[in-house]
Amino acid sequence: KAGVTQTPRYLIKTRGQQVTLSCSPISGHRSVSWYQQTPGQGLQFLFEYFSETQRNKGNFPGRFSGRQFSNSRSEMNVSTLELGDSALYLCASSAGLAGGEQYFGPGTRLTVT
Amino acid sequence: GESVGLHLPTLSVQEGDNSIINCAYSNSASDYFIWYKQESGKGPQFIIDIRSNMDKRQGQRVTVLLNKTVKHLSLQIAATQPGDSAVYFCAETSPFSGNTPLVFGKGTRLSVIA
């Protein structure tokens, strides 16, 4: 069974631009969560989608948004990029309604200049 | 590869020795705990999990201990190998209460000396 895939793997953007990251979960998994990883803050939860609905949201500004499609694939969008948005963005998928064991993709490394 | 954390606590162990990585979790309501391993350039990889109704769980070469009284988790790796070198994170959540996001600890870098 293929793992979680994320595209692109690396991205360089300039301040003020916007970016869209994509995540394809493990086949059959309906829950997709997004996390931001930085050296200073560690791994922080952004949001979670289940069956195309946002189920949980972390403490991030409204510039960060996401969505999930009927095939469970998910995208996250960051508008008006700031230098502090430079991070590794990780997507995780899980099978159940109650979350639990989450499987991570390799991440997208976003650099904002 | 990416730098996961510039100032993580580091544990250095000799190849073949046992490793113990500790983690203090924050929420006494958390009822599910997971240890993840993250190698450079990769996403976190599931190692082992434990529910709050247990205090010990064993896997292949790994054991997780849970002490709910002091909100403490530990990961024991037997006969540590060079391939175990990575950053290890504990994560807590309470999916059975409908609270599914993982809350991660800061991580510990394990360095295996050959």
Side-chain angles (χ1 to χ4, degrees), chain B residues 22-72:
Chain B
N22 295 303
C23 173
Y25 64 92
S26 58
N27 188 350
S28 57
S30 294
D31 52 22
Y32 181 60
F33 305 88
I34 309 172
W35 279 100
Y36 284 93
K37 171 187 180 184
Q38 188 173 25
E39 298 172 281
S40 183
K42 298 182 179 180
Q45 176 189 356
F46 174 91
I47 302 173
I48 191 168
D49 59 358
I50 188 168
R51 295 189 179 182
S52 58
N53 60 352
M54 304 171 69
D55 53 22
K56 180 179 180 179
R57 189 160 189 231
Q58 289 185 286
Q60 187 178 13
R61 278 201 312 120
V62 294
T63 301
V64 56
L65 299 178
L66 173 63
N67 184 331
K68 294 182 289 293
T69 303
V70 295
K71 294 191 289 185
H72 183 268

Side-chain angles (χ1 to χ4, degrees), chain A residues 49-69:
Chain A
Y49 288 87
F50 182 85
S51 293
E52 302 179 65
T53 301
Q54 188 179 87
R55 184 161 66 172
N56 284 290
K57 189 177 190 307
N59 189 25
F60 278 82
R63 301 185 297 107
F64 292 81
S65 62
R67 59 178 176 168
Q68 186 180 33
F69 302 96

Side-chain angles (χ1 to χ4, degrees), chain B residues 65-105:
Chain B
L65 299 178
L66 173 63
N67 184 331
K68 294 182 289 293
T69 303
V70 295
K71 294 191 289 185
H72 183 268
L73 272 171
S74 69
L75 176 70
Q76 301 176 2
I77 304 173
T80 311
Q81 302 168 0
D84 295 327
S85 293
V87 177
Y88 289 81
F89 294 94
C90 66
E92 60 182 297
T93 183
S94 44
F96 310 106
S97 308
N99 186 22
T100 51
L102 292 169
V103 177
F104 284 87

Side-chain angles (χ1 to χ4, degrees), chain A residues 47-94:
Chain A
F47 27 66
E48 180 201 4
Y49 288 87
F50 182 85
S51 293
E52 302 179 65
T53 301
Q54 188 179 87
R55 184 161 66 172
N56 284 290
K57 189 177 190 307
N59 189 25
F60 278 82
R63 301 185 297 107
F64 292 81
S65 62
R67 59 178 176 168
Q68 186 180 33
F69 302 96
S70 58
N71 61 358
S72 294
R73 190 177 70 84
S74 177
E75 289 181 346
M76 67 163 282
N77 184 276
V78 189
S79 62
T80 320
L81 283 165
E82 301 177 0
L83 294 178
D85 297 332
S86 294
L88 182 67
Y89 290 88
L90 291 157
C91 166
S93 76
S94 65

